């Protein structure tokens, strides 16, 4: 994936608002350059121990990052624990399948629900997709995809392009 050895942390940068772009224009803009893909789909920012940026990677379709099989999301109490992190879905495939909101759970980040349920931990990070507009609702299609370890055999979902 081309992640520098100096990278100590990874952060997810959420996509920017599409402004006045139509859906078609926004989609075309996303495929013009890795920088455009970063603004449209979001991407990863890698920082070192001194909190300096050492790499920025755009998320785009192609070979690269891979995920475990999706698991049902644990529901509203977990979604509430991620309040302020939900963003409208901009990626074409999840959007075409009806996903409305998504969020990133960082590597080793723990999600503790207010109702006392078991915490969710993701060793390498995870994306959660909700198929409704209100994180406090429950949807049977809501799903979490954990990033797969590079040591596991896998198929890839997206390419990480330097920005």
């Amino acid at each position: 994936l081309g992640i520098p050895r100096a990278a100590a942390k990874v952060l997810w940068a959420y996509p920017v608002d599409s402004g006045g772009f139509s859906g078609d224009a926004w989609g075309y803009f996303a495929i013009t350059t890795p920088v455009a893909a970063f603004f449209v789909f979001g991407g990863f920012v890698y920082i070192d121990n001194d909190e300096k940026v050492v790499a920025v990677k755009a998320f785009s379709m192609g070979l690269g990052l891979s995920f475990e099989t999706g698991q049902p999301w644990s529901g509203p109490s977990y979604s509430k624990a991620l309040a302020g992190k939900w963003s409208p879905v901009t990626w074409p495939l999840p959007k075409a399948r009806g996903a409305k909101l998504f969020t990133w759970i960082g590597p080793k980040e723990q999600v503790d629900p207010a109702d006392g349920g078991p915490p969710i931990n993701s060793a390498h990070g995870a994306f959660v997709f909700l198929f409704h507009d209100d994180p406090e609702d429950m949807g049977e299609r809501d799903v979490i995809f954990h990033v797969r370890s590079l040591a596991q055999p896998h198929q890839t979902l997206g390419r990480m392009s330097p920005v």
Side-chain angles (χ1 to χ4, degrees), residues 82-161:
L82 296 168
K85 290 184 67 173
W86 296 101
S87 183
V89 171
T90 56
W91 304 346
L93 184 59
K95 191 172 186 176
R97 300 237 169 124
K100 303 289 186 186
L101 298 172
F102 84 101
T103 193
W104 166 251
I105 298 171
K108 300 180 184 168
E109 179 180 349
Q110 183 167 302
V111 180
D112 294 305
D115 68 1
I120 292 176
N121 293 290
S122 186
H124 305 290
F127 284 105
V128 180
F129 292 92
L130 302 181
F131 288 78
H132 45 84
D133 293 314
D134 185 352
E136 296 192 20
D137 288 343
M138 178 69 177
E140 62 184 41
R141 294 178 60 206
D142 297 346
V143 64
I144 182 170
F145 292 96
H146 293 273
V147 174
R148 185 184 304 265
S149 165
L150 291 177
Q152 296 173 293
H154 63 282
Q155 293 181 341
T156 58
L157 173 68
R159 174 178 70 236
M160 301 306 298
S161 303

Side-chain angles (χ1 to χ4, degrees), residues 30-114:
I31 63 171
T32 58
T33 67
V35 172
F38 184 83
F39 286 114
V40 174
F41 301 128
F44 294 100
V45 178
Y46 296 89
I47 58 175
D48 65 15
N49 287 322
D50 295 325
E51 303 288 319
K52 293 181 182 172
V53 174
V54 295
V56 177
K57 303 282 186 170
F59 190 78
S60 59
M61 299 310 291
L63 300 176
L65 195 61
S66 65
F67 297 86
E68 296 177 7
T69 302
Q71 300 295 316
W73 179 234
S74 300
S77 62
Y78 291 85
S79 296
K80 286 180 195 176
L82 296 168
K85 290 184 67 173
W86 296 101
S87 183
V89 171
T90 56
W91 304 346
L93 184 59
K95 191 172 186 176
R97 300 237 169 124
K100 303 289 186 186
L101 298 172
F102 84 101
T103 193
W104 166 251
I105 298 171
K108 300 180 184 168
E109 179 180 349
Q110 183 167 302
V111 180
D112 294 305

